[in-house]
Amino acid sequence: MNDHVYPVPADWAERAKINKERYAELYRESLSNPDAFWRREAQRLDWQKPFTKVSESSFDEATFGISWFSDGQLNVSANCIDRHLAERGDQPAIIWEPDSPPEMGGGEGRIITYAQLHEAVCRLANGLKSLGIRKGDRVTIYLPMIPEAAISMLACARIGAIHSVVFGGFSPDSIANRVQDCDSRLIITADEGLRGGKVVPLKANVDEALKLLHGPTVEKVVVVTRTGAGVWMEEGRDLSYEELVAAQSPDCPADVLNAEDPLFILYTSGSTGKPKGVLHTMGGYLTWASMTHEYVFDYRPGEIFWCAADVGWVTGHSYVVYGSLANGATTLMYEGVPNFPDFSRFWQIIDKYQVQIFYAAPTALRALMREGDDWVTKTSRASLRLLGSVGEPINPEAWEWYHRVVGEGRCPIVDTWWQTETGAAMITPMPGATDLKPGSASFPMFGVEPQLVDGDGHVLEGATEGNLVLTRSWPGQMRTVWGDHRRFFETYFTTYRGKYFTGDGCRRDADGYYWITGRVDDVINVSGHRMGTAEVESALVAHAKVAEAAVVGYPHDLKGQGIYAYVTLNANDVPSEALRRDLVQWVRKEIGPIATPDVIQFAPGLPKTRSGKIMRRILRKIAENDVSSLGDTSTLADPSVVADLVANRAGAS
Ligand code: WTA
């Protein structure tokens, strides 16, 4: 355990918006007088009609519901754009850096000012209206990391259409499931995407996906020109983004929308079943995204903020787009990957645009760390003043490297714990207020009341370890699972009655610091991407030769967790290297490359209880190569399968 503490640097303690005293004071107020606290914090937004009600939320079954600022009205896009125009119309809102640097033909990138963003969003909002899109309609966005992704999200927000962004790495099947689940009427995509020098056939993937849909949900497909490749355009259905917006007025009055109107749906993996459509609404979400962006990153006007996450994930929603723009920031959007054309790319971009705040996932940092320090130290990084981490636990080695090499010991690191469901950062240091412990997400954000409980729900006090629950609602909390409010209640509020269960395990040390230990359910975190083991299993059993599959996570040096799949073939099929490769390709095609199994072990049988339940605990131990402590196997229907699994353990390391 790394117990080194990095105290708040003196200049931060002095200048930061939130110092130790202020944190203590505001945190106390946020719990003891939430009404006053949130009434004040919500004033960071412009309300077309002020709210009188603050929170009407309950986690109990009889009164269950989450609602914030419910009688207020506002427009999210006006809050992210229009209200900044007078003061910072000519300030860059979005700086876009393409996949390839200029010397490799990538071009010079784009700088979009707030005034230009306003025009682009208005034109597209008018374009969507001209295609019949109205308040409450669902729009799927399947785009690469280009400014049109943010513009599309904001155009939907402007007219109250609900966007559902699908990560550009997902397969046609995954797109189809997501489009079908929320009945999208329109898809915005691009001809092709570029990532690490490779072409991603986005439009072709959408065409495939549309063939898989049951019933006529999608009426129009709007196609952004990214590479200019000639792609199939279906008469009457597909149209060019550029032609659509060119024909529109550059002015689109912001609709007056209710605080609890839906803003977006974002699909995320759970322990069971298909990905869930997590629904966020207007007023609470934006208050939360804006507040955390300002306090966690100590954001100051004029600074360049770079969140390296893709807009296909919640981190991109809240910190590339909504939180940043609500605060009038300059947000940097990078189309590519950390290691292309070489391992200096992140640091070169930081120098090119003089980035002050950089926020990335540990998996990227680990991959860059193992390439050696020279890639970093040959760049300046003098502009940096703060670093952030998100998406998975950061191991102390990677933390120390990030701090010492990337940040030259001068930049605090904010290790932010949160989830798609929570909207924005929940447990996190604040750079002027928190002495840092590498690997700890440290303390709760204002309004967040964490608790650790044991398996029976008993509250654990003091220095301890248990399951992390949250006892009260916060404005950025998800409001429902799209189309399945019952599932929302059952997934999060029935394990521990009256509390929100995060699915994470957590330790609290003697100083009150929280240390997230990882998922305690059947969700795995591969390179910071959430994946349900059930999703990978159902992709595998959809293969003609597979009878049964069980998938578990195991520790992986770079990815955090790797995917280990145990596969039982049909009676007449035999294991082979070719079939193994075929299964790997199959899963990539069914879900997308992020679900690529790292290890496939052919297993004649799986360890099951007499009632037929697969004992994953045993499979996890074997995958981790911790076979000396398999525990009690006597309750298995056929204990002999375990010996076979151990003997034929695939070479995972
Ligand atoms: C994990 C990403 C440790 C956690 C914002 C959570 C983390 C899941 C951290 C949510 C962190 C996220 N330290 N673990 N700083 N941040 N996690 O929905 O297991 O993609 O439940 O949201 O990622 O993943 P999601």
Side-chain angles (χ1 to χ4, degrees):
M1 199 54 50
N2 186 316
D3 270 322
H4 196 111
V5 177
Y6 292 80
V8 174
D11 54 329
W12 277 89
E14 225 165 84
R15 289 179 53 211
K17 289 193 176 127
I18 308 289
N19 60 19
K20 282 190 183 157
E21 293 69 39
R22 193 89 184 114
Y23 171 76
E25 194 185 310
L26 286 176
Y27 185 67
R28 213 175 310 115
E29 187 203 8
S30 74
L31 298 195
S32 64
N33 194 356
D35 212 69
F37 180 88
W38 290 114
R39 256 177 224 288
R40 194 178 62 241
E41 275 301 332
Q43 299 316 317
R44 58 179 51 255
L45 304 184
D46 277 1
W47 296 84
Q48 288 154 313
K49 175 176 165 247
F51 58 85
T52 63
K53 301 171 179 165
V54 179
S55 175
E56 302 153 289
S57 307
S58 159
F59 293 174
D60 294 323
E61 183 156 20
T63 47
F64 182 68
I66 319 284
S67 168
W68 285 80
F69 315 124
S70 66
D71 59 349
Q73 292 184 315
L74 79 169
N75 185 288
V76 165
S77 121
N79 270 284
C80 289
I81 311 171
D82 306 34
R83 65 175 173 148
H84 306 312
L85 291 175
E87 213 181 313
R88 45 181 110 256
D90 296 330
Q91 178 202 298
I94 300 176
I95 294 178
W96 177 73
E97 171 70 14
D99 185 53
S100 290
E103 62 275 17
M104 288 180 65
E108 271 310 327
R110 290 158 65 186
I111 293 186
I112 298 175
T113 64
Y114 272 96
Q116 291 165 336
L117 182 63
H118 180 259
E119 174 171 345
V121 168
C122 285
R123 283 182 183 277
L124 181 59
N126 285 328
L128 293 175
K129 285 200 275 192
S130 77
L131 297 173
I133 298 298
R134 298 283 174 265
K135 178 178 167 180
D137 287 342
R138 274 78 62 203
V139 171
T140 292
I141 299 175
Y142 182 66
L143 283 172
M145 278 290 280
I146 55 177
E148 284 74 12
I151 293 167
S152 299
M153 292 161 76
L154 292 161
C156 289
R158 198 163 187 88
I159 62 173
I162 308 169
H163 62 71
S164 161
V165 180
V166 176
F167 172 59
F170 277 124
S171 68
D173 262 78
S174 300
I175 306 168
N177 287 333
R178 287 159 172 77
V179 167
Q180 189 95 55
D181 185 78
C182 68
D183 296 312
S184 285
R185 293 185 60 193
L186 186 138
I187 301 181
I188 305 177
T189 187
D191 48 5
E192 297 178 323
L194 290 173
R195 254 172 84 84
K198 296 197 194 87
V199 169
V200 187
L202 296 173
K203 176 59 167 57
N205 286 348
V206 168
D207 291 336
E208 278 301 301
L210 291 183
K211 286 186 203 143
L212 300 170
L213 294 180
H214 316 290
T217 84
V218 175
E219 294 152 29
K220 297 285 176 202
V221 178
V222 178
V223 185
V224 178
T225 304
R226 170 63 187 100
T227 64
V231 292
W232 166 251
M233 296 292 274
E234 187 164 307
E235 190 80 48
R237 187 195 71 184
D238 302 349
L239 64 157
S240 144
Y241 178 99
E242 293 76 18
E243 285 172 24
L244 174 69
V245 297
Q248 304 298 324
S249 151
D251 201 22
C252 172
D255 283 357
V256 179
L257 298 166
N258 297 319
E260 285 295 347
D261 282 339
L263 174 60
F264 66 83
I265 300 167
L266 184 58
Y267 286 86
T268 193
S269 299
S271 3
T272 55
K274 286 188 176 172
K276 302 183 276 284
V278 168
L279 185 93
H280 283 286
T281 57
M282 306 273 176
Y285 170 80
L286 198 65
T287 302
W288 191 242
S290 162
M291 183 186 88
T292 55
H293 176 265
E294 181 185 354
Y295 294 156
V296 175
F297 299 107
D298 192 56
Y299 184 78
R300 295 165 198 197
E303 287 187 327
I304 316 255
F305 176 85
W306 182 11
C307 165
D310 193 286
V311 291
W313 312 114
V314 74
T315 308
H317 280 61
S318 302
Y319 295 113
V320 177
V321 182
Y322 288 116
S324 297
L325 297 176
N327 292 347
T330 297
T331 181
L332 194 146
M333 229 176 149
Y334 170 45
E335 188 180 32
V337 296
N339 58 356
F340 176 82
D342 64 37
F343 304 104
S344 272
R345 194 70 203 287
F346 271 180
W347 326 122
Q348 283 164 352
I349 295 174
I350 286 171
D351 284 351
K352 176 170 176 184
Y353 297 108
Q354 297 291 294
V355 170
Q356 275 97 2
I357 306 166
F358 177 68
Y359 186 38
T363 189
L365 302 171
R366 284 192 296 267
L368 295 173
M369 178 171 88
R370 72 163 184 183
E371 300 299 330
D373 297 358
D374 292 354
W375 296 104
V376 186
T377 53
K378 70 180 190 184
T379 62
S380 157
R381 287 155 291 110
S383 58
L384 280 179
R385 65 179 197 101
L386 178 64
L387 299 169
S389 171
V390 60
E392 53 181 315
I394 181 165
N395 48 313
E397 299 70 35
W399 195 104
E400 298 279 356
W401 180 82
Y402 199 24
H403 190 258
R404 178 174 51 81
V405 181
V406 176
E408 295 179 321
R410 32 190 177 87
C411 306
I413 297 177
V414 288
D415 173 3
T416 62
W417 171 83
W418 56 293
Q419 313 179 296
T420 306
E421 294 89 336
T422 72
M426 298 291 283
I427 299 184
T428 173
M430 288 182 224
T434 316
D435 298 334
L436 303 172
K437 296 191 184 188
S440 169
S442 73
F443 299 117
M445 175 45 69
F446 305 132
V448 174
E449 192 172 35
Q451 253 181 14
L452 301 184
V453 296
D454 68 13
D456 299 324
H458 300 301
V459 178
L460 306 167
E461 306 288 350
T464 186
E465 185 165 344
N467 294 334
L468 177 63
V469 299
L470 305 170
T471 62
R472 57 167 88 197
S473 184
W474 62 98
Q477 183 169 23
M478 73 182 283
R479 300 299 194 257
T480 191
V481 169
W482 179 260
D484 201 346
H485 200 54
R486 188 77 214 160
R487 186 173 175 201
F488 175 49
F489 178 73
E490 273 167 11
T491 305
Y492 301 101
F493 304 93
T494 54
T495 318
Y496 304 107
R497 285 191 179 283
K499 295 172 186 178
Y500 169 84
F501 178 40
T502 62
D504 278 311
C506 184
R507 185 168 71 82
R508 187 173 47 221
D509 72 15
D511 301 323
Y513 282 68
Y514 288 87
W515 302 70
I516 308 295
T517 53
R519 301 289 303 199
V520 293
D521 54 11
D522 289 322
V523 170
I524 52 183
N525 194 324
V526 184
S527 301
H529 300 147
R530 252 168 95 161
M531 187 57 54
T533 51
E535 282 170 74
V536 185
E537 287 163 7
S538 80
L540 282 165
V541 296
H543 188 281
K545 297 189 172 165
V546 174
E548 199 167 31
V551 169
V552 296
Y554 72 98
H556 188 287
D557 284 350
L558 286 180
K559 299 181 180 183
Q561 281 188 299
I563 300 180
Y564 195 118
Y566 298 87
V567 170
T568 306
L569 297 175
N570 287 327
N572 295 327
D573 290 306
V574 280
S576 70
E577 258 325 294
L579 180 55
R580 193 193 307 273
R581 280 195 298 274
D582 186 40
L583 290 176
V584 169
Q585 282 313 315
W586 174 263
V587 174
R588 290 174 66 94
K589 186 183 92 26
E590 289 279 301
I591 303 175
I594 58 169
T596 307
D598 296 279
V599 179
I600 291 184
Q601 174 170 354
F602 292 111
L606 295 172
K608 288 187 190 162
T609 59
R610 290 192 190 95
S611 62
K613 200 168 176 305
I614 294 176
M615 301 265 286
R616 287 165 186 284
R617 175 177 56 79
I618 294 175
L619 295 176
R620 271 188 220 116
K621 293 264 183 203
I622 297 172
E624 287 164 15
N625 203 11
D626 183 12
V627 293
S628 58
S629 58
L630 290 180
D632 183 13
T633 56
S634 62
T635 57
L636 291 178
D638 176 8
S640 74
V641 299
V642 174
D644 175 87
L645 290 172
V646 172
N648 295 303
R649 185 180 168 276
S653 58

